[in-house]
Amino acid sequence: MESLRDRWVLVTGASSGLGADFARAFAARGCKLVLVARREERLATLAAELAKNHGTDARVVALDLARDESPGELHDLLRAEGIDVHVLVNNAGAGVFGPFLASEWSRHQQMLALDVIALAHLTHCFAQGMVVRGEGYVLQVASIGAFLPTPTYAAYSAAKSFVLSFGEALARELKPQGVHVCTVCPGVTETEFFDAAGQPRSLFQRMSVMSSEAVVEISINALLRGKTSVVPGVMNKISTLSTRLLPRQLQAAMAHALMVFGAKA
């Protein structure tokens, strides 16, 4: 496992949840951080925490990555400051819960812009510099929803399927050039995701929830060991493996049941 001390790590969606814990974990490894999210006050608080606890140099960039121009602007900004990103953590994302037609299109559009377009654009921007240097890491954050067509999360699970396929393909393309790409597919994680998506947690989600810190450690270890993808948690591994043998229509029915059965706030 490579030492990342004094390397620059860019974490998107760093204001809370997995993003904030990715930042803490990399700071504990001696990395310098670029923290990106919309909520500048939260980023500043996190940067102060990292400086106090780890002596970390953290650059705060408040940015809405769902805007078409944002990934390019971020890349140009960091390049102008002489910051070479060694690790890109594409964590920023959102979900929309409920019947697809019952939600405003603007919510789906913003989600797809963030979960798909921004992720691919950021990868295109920053991985090129890694290829030139002959080294670097990209961690793509997908979901176990990537493995199943999921009613009530139809667009979200499709977006995460893109992330998984995209990440695994890039892992093969870029490995000969010294760039390692790993896609992590977390299950239910203790973050603000469900509140933002508007979903009461189902029985399955309450039973299978993992801590954000545990998901982060598994993800970083998989990235540094050269794995192309990882599903954190035994229950999540079992659920993703067991459903692969089912016909697609049964996969969708099972996913639907897991999302709504026993749901409560």
Side-chain angles (χ1 to χ4, degrees), residues 174-237:
L174 299 181
K175 184 177 180 179
Q177 301 172 77
V179 180
H180 300 278
V181 181
C182 179
T183 303
V184 57
C185 299
V188 183
T189 308
E190 198 58 68
T191 67
E192 299 175 357
F193 175 86
F194 292 102
D195 292 336
Q199 182 190 10
R201 296 194 188 190
S202 68
L203 178 62
F204 168 77
Q205 290 164 337
R206 297 197 303 275
M207 290 176 59
S208 63
V209 65
M210 291 182 64
S211 72
S212 175
E213 294 88 351
V215 171
V216 163
E217 284 303 313
I218 292 169
S219 303
I220 294 176
N221 288 336
L223 175 69
L224 297 181
R225 289 192 171 103
K227 292 188 176 182
T228 57
S229 62
V230 62
V231 177
V234 174
M235 184 176 289
N236 294 324
K237 285 184 173 69

Side-chain angles (χ1 to χ4, degrees), residues 6 34 47 51-52 83 94 98 105 109 127-128 139 142 182 184 190 199 213 237 247 251 258:
D6 294 326
V34 179
K52 177 181 178 181
I83 294 176
W105 169 246
Q109 185 176 33
Q128 293 195 53
L139 182 62
C182 179
V184 57
E190 198 58 68
Q199 182 190 10
E213 294 88 351
K237 285 184 173 69
Q251 290 182 20
L258 292 175

Side-chain angles (χ1 to χ4, degrees), residues 109-130:
Q109 185 176 33
Q110 185 175 33
M111 180 199 70
L112 293 170
L114 182 61
D115 292 12
V116 175
I117 302 300
L119 178 142
H121 194 176
L122 286 166
T123 303
H124 192 266
C125 286
F126 288 99
Q128 293 195 53
M130 298 177 192

